[in-house]
Amino acid sequence: MHTAFFLLLGASVARFLLRHPDEPRTPWIIALGITLALLYVLGPALGATAPTVRRLLWLGLVVAVWVVLVVLAPSFAWCAVPLFYTALRTLPPRAAVVLVALLTVFVVAAQLRLAQASGGEPFDPNLLLGPPAVAALATAVFVHMERQARAQRTLIDDLIRTRRELAATERRAGTLAERQRLSMEIHDTLAQHLSSQQMLLQAADRTWDADPATARAHVRTATDITARGLAEARRLVHDLAPPELDGGAGLADALRALDAGPETAVRFHLEGAPVPLPDRVEQALLRIAQGALANVREHAGARTAALTLSFLGDQVVLDVADDGHGFTQSRSATGDRGHGLPAMRARVRQLGGTLTIESAAGEGTVLSASIPLEPTP
């Protein structure tokens, strides 16, 4: 519209100079044309298109100068088309329509004056119908564009609000998932280490007078467990891999180093040809083994426990078996005791695997975690 305005203004000045080269009002026409151009340029400098006092004064000056120009030279009438949009963008809808109608009447009058000045030509109905049609078209286009712009702004606001709500929901979900992960990590590591330390120190306290050597051995074992617990705490802070898997140690070596306390002997078996496992799978299986041995130590009263890691091609399976007290399946179905078994199930489920438990009172327990592996290309 800005470009159209200056093109129409320049064409009107050129037309007047070509048709009226010796007119005494020529200097006034040129001066008013330059004034109108300068005033029009000031419009964007005033900032927003809202109907402020300064902007209303500016629009009044632009229209007034244009009216004077049309009175002196009717050929400037078509500069009104860009002014239609200026009025529609500046004034409230009703006031803008009134101003557009007045400008249209002025354009019709100017066209009739030009027709009378030319003389000898029959009346052209386009002089009456053309300007109102152009004004109506310009108004309709502007109104349609404004409606589309409002709908787009509403849609953008809705999208921004939805995105913020989605981001908040994702943050809450991420927070809950992280809390669950940390709770499982703490249960499988720090809580188990603290429980082992308590049992060892209690055993040392009971045997301190009768068997000092055994008591000191319990204390040394508790010290080692404390060191591992400190490493786990540091790993949780820095979110590193389990210390048992640091330094390139494999899952088999980490499982072979696990224990279930001084009263339970733990044996490890490896079956099948080992293949490299993803870090997530190794960490999950290690945590499951730690959690299962913690349950053996705290609840089973077992003399022996066996860890078996089996590589079966398309899956890896970890079995933890003990000869402890066991429990009835109905007890397992009514709800897991503590946090251990739910944490194990959650870890296996996250990797697309399955966790099964077989147990009976007085017959021990077998826990089996199976995790599928992606086929090797």
Side-chain angles (χ1 to χ4, degrees):
M1 282 299 109
H2 295 333
T3 302
F5 175 81
F6 287 109
L7 288 176
L8 290 172
L9 182 62
S12 299
V13 171
R15 183 178 186 278
F16 181 84
L17 293 177
L18 291 174
R19 296 202 175 189
H20 310 282
D22 299 325
E23 282 279 343
R25 50 188 177 162
T26 298
W28 289 101
I29 297 296
I30 296 175
L32 288 172
I34 295 174
T35 302
L36 181 59
L38 293 175
L39 285 173
Y40 194 87
V41 169
L42 288 177
L46 295 177
T49 59
T52 59
V53 175
R54 288 190 306 171
R55 191 154 184 90
L56 291 176
L57 289 175
W58 167 81
L59 180 60
L61 286 174
V62 169
V63 172
V65 173
W66 174 80
V67 167
V68 174
L69 266 176
V70 173
V71 170
L72 294 177
S75 58
F76 284 86
W78 286 109
C79 293
V81 176
L83 295 182
F84 292 163
Y85 284 96
T86 302
L88 290 167
R89 295 178 66 234
T90 304
L91 298 175
R94 292 184 180 180
V97 171
V98 172
L99 181 57
V100 169
L102 293 176
L103 294 177
T104 303
V105 171
F106 219 79
V107 171
V108 171
Q111 294 300 306
L112 292 175
R113 281 182 55 198
L114 282 176
Q116 291 175 357
S118 61
E121 294 182 2
F123 174 74
D124 187 357
N126 288 328
L127 299 178
L128 290 177
L129 300 178
V134 173
L137 179 61
T139 303
V141 170
F142 179 84
V143 170
H144 179 69
M145 291 170 58
E146 280 294 299
R147 288 177 179 173
Q148 283 190 325
R150 282 196 299 270
Q152 188 178 37
R153 285 193 295 268
T154 301
L155 178 60
I156 292 173
D157 293 341
D158 291 341
L159 289 175
I160 292 175
R161 182 173 61 255
T162 302
R163 186 173 61 181
R164 289 174 179 170
E165 293 174 354
L166 180 59
T169 301
E170 290 178 346
R171 283 195 297 271
R172 288 194 296 269
T175 300
L176 293 176
E178 184 65 11
R179 288 175 61 184
Q180 182 183 15
R181 185 188 71 83
L182 288 176
S183 67
M184 292 189 297
E185 292 283 340
I186 292 172
H187 174 271
D188 293 342
T189 57
L190 299 181
Q192 295 172 19
H193 292 150
L194 291 173
S195 176
S196 298
Q197 293 169 38
Q198 182 184 29
M199 294 177 61
L200 288 167
L201 292 175
Q202 288 173 347
D205 182 63
R206 289 193 301 267
T207 61
W208 193 266
D209 296 329
D211 190 356
T214 301
R216 283 193 292 271
H218 289 333
V219 172
R220 286 194 296 270
T221 303
T223 302
D224 294 338
I225 294 175
T226 302
R228 291 202 298 270
L230 179 60
E232 289 287 355
R234 289 171 176 168
R235 185 196 64 79
L236 287 175
V237 172
H238 297 288
D239 197 27
L240 300 175
E244 295 87 350
L245 298 175
D246 285 348
L251 177 60
D253 294 334
L255 293 175
R256 189 176 287 109
L258 296 180
D259 64 77
E263 299 178 359
T264 305
V266 178
R267 298 189 301 271
F268 173 74
H269 305 279
L270 178 64
E271 296 183 359
V275 297
L277 297 176
D279 292 341
R280 293 177 60 215
V281 175
E282 286 192 342
Q283 295 174 20
L285 291 176
L286 177 61
R287 295 307 183 210
I288 290 171
Q290 290 174 326
L293 292 179
N295 288 339
V296 170
R297 179 177 58 249
E298 296 176 11
H299 308 300
R303 293 188 304 274
T304 61
L307 294 176
T308 304
L309 181 64
S310 304
F311 291 89
L312 304 179
D314 60 344
Q315 61 180 340
V316 58
V317 179
L318 173 66
D319 296 314
V320 183
D322 67 77
D323 58 358
H325 304 313
F327 57 88
T328 60
Q329 293 297 315
S330 59
R331 172 185 162 190
S332 177
T334 56
D336 298 324
R337 177 178 176 180
H339 188 71
L341 293 180
M344 296 179 199
R345 287 196 170 93
R347 290 183 185 278
V348 173
R349 186 167 53 249
Q350 289 172 358
L351 296 172
T354 57
L355 181 74
T356 59
I357 300 174
E358 297 179 1
S359 182
E363 298 182 6
T365 303
V366 177
L367 179 147
S368 180
S370 175
I371 297 177
L373 299 178
E374 296 183 358
T376 302

